[in-house]
Amino acid sequence: MRLITLFIFVLALGPEAFAAKPVITGITGVSNAVLTGTVTAYGGFSGLMTAGTCPQADTTKTCDSCAAGALVACNSTRSYNTLRFRVAATHTDAGNLILVKSSESTEISVSPHNSTDVSAPWSAICAALGTGASSDCENPGAKEGTIRICVDKNLNNDLDPGEDCEDIKVRISKMDAATYDIATVTDGITDFVPYPGDEKIYIEDPLTSANFPNLSHLGKISGVRVYVGEGNMTAAVPGNGLEPVNLTVVEDGSFLSDSKVDGLTNGVKYWFRLGLVDEANNIGYFWPPPGNSTPNFRDDNGKNCDVEDCLYTATPDEVVGLLTEDVNCFIATAAYGTSFNDKLETFREFRFKRLLPHAWGRSFVKAYYHYGPIAARYIQDKPMLRAATRLSLWPAYGFSHLALRFGLLPAALLSLFAMTLCLALPLLGVRRFLSRA
């Protein structure tokens, strides 16, 4: 009896109750697409439309709106109104694929129709993103919305009851193409320091905005593009200098998963500029900003970055590189028995940020790099010497910690005061004892 009841229930639901939604396997004709989780298609519209480049004669291809030497927002995979937004999908039902507006059943896709993929111009996609949205994607009435890909079972180019769909989130992103001045930059990265290594540099000490990694144009930073130039800052721009290096912003919104720029030549001075890349592959929010690099950019110390060794220059060095990448801090590691003690990280950071930027500091570290292994080998198998070394390293650790927080000079003054106090207190105690006697 139960089986008969279940059979009648299944017949009442109809076969459409068990039909599978289309499974999206690819999206092309977009600036970027994410197929895992919530399927999202991005249209990046930054950069000027230029005849012969944007739009493309082949409307299945994105275009490159990034002009060489220009520090304006652009996109190397730029979308445009006539570009074909194409979705490929698999499904188990007989019928063709169509695209429809999320809240309506009317088709927005165009012929030819088939069962494996479907397309529509971006103008139709933009018009479908909310009430009153514009078909001009260069200035859309809505920045984001949802469309659906459906299986048109009765082939009437319309969505009917019982036909299955899958949502596609669409986001349109366009950065302001105008140049900007330091005083008006409120998004992204507003400062950084390039530190040298062996045939590489590291992007360190980034100063980020309060809303990082989100941007005011409703975009979100997905990466940082490092422009590297030789000779002056004007060489560190799109299309000039060395091939730019892309660094990824980690998902939790902190800075970079890898801050290293490889493939540089030791002994050569390089200039560095950062450009932010959003999820739609728009590039902009440059630092140093273009409003201050034409004709010349000066850093906070007043140095002209076009001709001087300013804050945004660095020179890779073989010795410095070995020191920044070594596994062991020789004496401290021998004393503590491990290279992963938290104090060693402080010593490394002190060496990296307070010693290596100065010529005298590099000389000191170079000498340590020469003699340190000798001392480390000598104390490594001597427990008493290791214990004495650990004790002697406490003042060095305290000084390093203070120098990282307050700078070298304040740390030196505080350390001198502490040493004087440590010497004075016992003497005062002895004097009081003698006076009482």
Side-chain angles (χ1 to χ4, degrees), residues 325-348:
E325 287 202 314
D326 62 336
V327 176
N328 300 311
C329 186
F330 305 113
I331 295 175
T333 301
Y336 285 98
T338 173
S339 62
F340 297 102
N341 190 284
D342 58 351
K343 298 176 181 60
L344 302 187
E345 292 302 319
T346 300
F347 287 134
R348 287 193 184 97

Side-chain angles (χ1 to χ4, degrees), residues 344-356:
L344 302 187
E345 292 302 319
T346 300
F347 287 134
R348 287 193 184 97
E349 189 177 1
F350 169 74
R351 177 188 62 192
F352 197 60
K353 295 184 177 180
R354 293 293 180 260
L355 294 181
L356 294 180

Side-chain angles (χ1 to χ4, degrees), residues 26-31 33 41 60 62 83-88 118-120 122:
I27 303 179
T28 58
V30 296
S31 299
T60 65
T62 59
L83 177 66
R84 284 293 187 96
F85 180 111
R86 184 176 297 275
V87 185
V118 61
S119 69
W122 264 103

